[in-house]
Amino acid sequence: MVLNTLGRYFAARFVSSALGVFFGLFVLLVFVDYIDLLRRAGGLSVSAFVIAQASFFRVPQLLERLLPFCILIGGMTCYLALSRRLELVIARAAGLSAWQFIAPALWSALALGVFASAVFNPMSAYMQERAKQMEAELFGQGSGSLQDANGFWMNQVSPEGQSIINAARSQQQGAVLSGISVFRFEPDFQFKDRIEAREAVLEPGYWLLKDVRKYTLDSAPEEQATLRLPTALTLAQVRNSFATPESVSFWQLPSYIKASESSGFATAGYRLQYHKLLAKPFLLAAMVMLAASVSLRFFRFGGVQKMVLSGVGAGFLLYILSKVTEDLSKAELMHPLAAAWLPVCVGGLAGFLALLYQEDG
C-alpha cells in the first residue's frame, strides 16, 4: 500500500512538471506568433481577438514536435526538485531503488504518448487546417503571409494541353488551394495564357477557380468570377502533391497510405509519420530514462549543473539523429520503420545503460 501511494505521488509530480513545461511553452509560442501576426496584419482592419485565435490554432502542431523535450525538461525538473527536498534520499532509505521510483514516470510517459498520438495529433492537424483557412480569409491572395517558400507546384496534362499550377498554400490536404497561378500551354507546347486566381477547389473532373484574372499575349487582362480548369487528377493524386504527412491525423494515415499505394505514389513520408506516432509513447519513455540518468545525483555531491547540461545535450543529439533518419527515410534510403524506431532505441538504451552504471555499476 505504501508503494502504491508513493508511486502515485511520484507519477503526479512528474506529470505536473511535464505539463507545466508544456503549457509554459504553449503560452510563449502563442505570444511570439501573435506578435508576428500583428506585424503582418498592421495595415488590415482585423480585430486582435481574431489574430489571437489564428495564433492559438497555429501553435499545437509545433508543440507536438517539441513534446519529447517537454518530457525531458519536465522529468529533470521533477527529479531535481525531489532530490533538493531530500525526498529521493528518504525513498532510498526506505529500501526503494531508482528503478522503482522511475517506474511511475515511465508509465505516465507511455500514457501521455498514447494520448498525444491518438487524441492530440488529430486535434493539432485539424487546428492547423483551420489556421490556414483563417490566414487565407485574413490576408487574402496578395499577402506574403500565404507564401510558403516557393509554394506548391503541380503539372497536369489534358487533351487541351499542359497546365502548370502553382499554389501559395494548400488546405484540406490539397483539395482547396490559395494564391493560384496557372501557366497553360497548347498541345504543341506553345504558351497559351496565364491565370491568376484567389482560390481553387477540386471538383470531380475540374478545378473551380474563383476571382480569376486571365493574361494573354495579344489582349488585355480579362477578369472572371469563376473558371473551370479541366483536370484528370484525383483527390489521392492531389494529396500526394500538396498534403504533408504532418497535416494528416493519426487515424487517417492508414487510408492515405493505402490510397497512395494504389495510385502508384511514394508512401515513405506517410509511413514514416505513422511509425513515428506509433513510437511516440516509447520515445517519451526514453526521454524519462535520459532525464533520470542525469538528475538523480544528490545535490551534496555537486556536479548537478554539468549533469543537467549533459542531459540537454543528449536530448539535442537525439533530435539530430531523428532528423537525419527522417531525411534518409523520405529520400527512400532508409526504411520508415527503422527511421522511426532507431532514435527510440538509442535514447532508451543510453538512458538505461547510464542508470545501470550509476545504480548497479
Side-chain angles (χ1 to χ4, degrees), residues 184 191-194 213-224:
R184 296 199 297 179
F191 177 77
K192 180 179 181 181
D193 56 24
R194 177 170 65 91
R213 175 171 288 188
K214 185 189 300 183
Y215 301 88
T216 59
L217 296 176
D218 54 358
S219 62
E222 177 185 350
E223 295 187 357
Q224 298 178 229

Side-chain angles (χ1 to χ4, degrees), residues 268-289:
Y270 293 118
R271 288 185 179 276
L272 174 64
Q273 178 69 3
Y274 185 63
H275 286 296
K276 284 174 61 178
L277 291 175
L278 288 178
K280 180 164 289 186
F282 302 96
L283 177 62
L284 300 188
M287 288 297 181
V288 172
M289 299 286 287

Side-chain angles (χ1 to χ4, degrees), residues 325-339:
T325 56
E326 179 179 342
D327 292 340
L328 289 175
S329 176
K330 289 181 179 180
E332 298 186 356
L333 298 176
M334 190 176 189
H335 195 278
L337 181 65

Side-chain angles (χ1 to χ4, degrees), residues 59-117:
V59 167
Q61 193 166 84
L62 177 60
L63 269 178
E64 186 180 1
R65 302 174 188 173
L66 297 178
L67 184 58
F69 292 97
C70 295
I71 297 298
L72 177 64
I73 302 300
M76 289 193 296
T77 303
C78 170
Y79 288 119
L80 287 174
L82 292 174
S83 179
R84 182 184 293 273
R85 297 171 59 180
L86 302 180
E87 292 176 271
L88 294 184
V89 177
I90 297 173
R92 291 179 184 274
L96 296 179
S97 67
W99 306 104
Q100 289 175 292
F101 51 74
I102 289 174
L106 288 175
W107 286 109
S108 300
L110 289 171
L112 289 174
V114 171
F115 177 83
S117 296

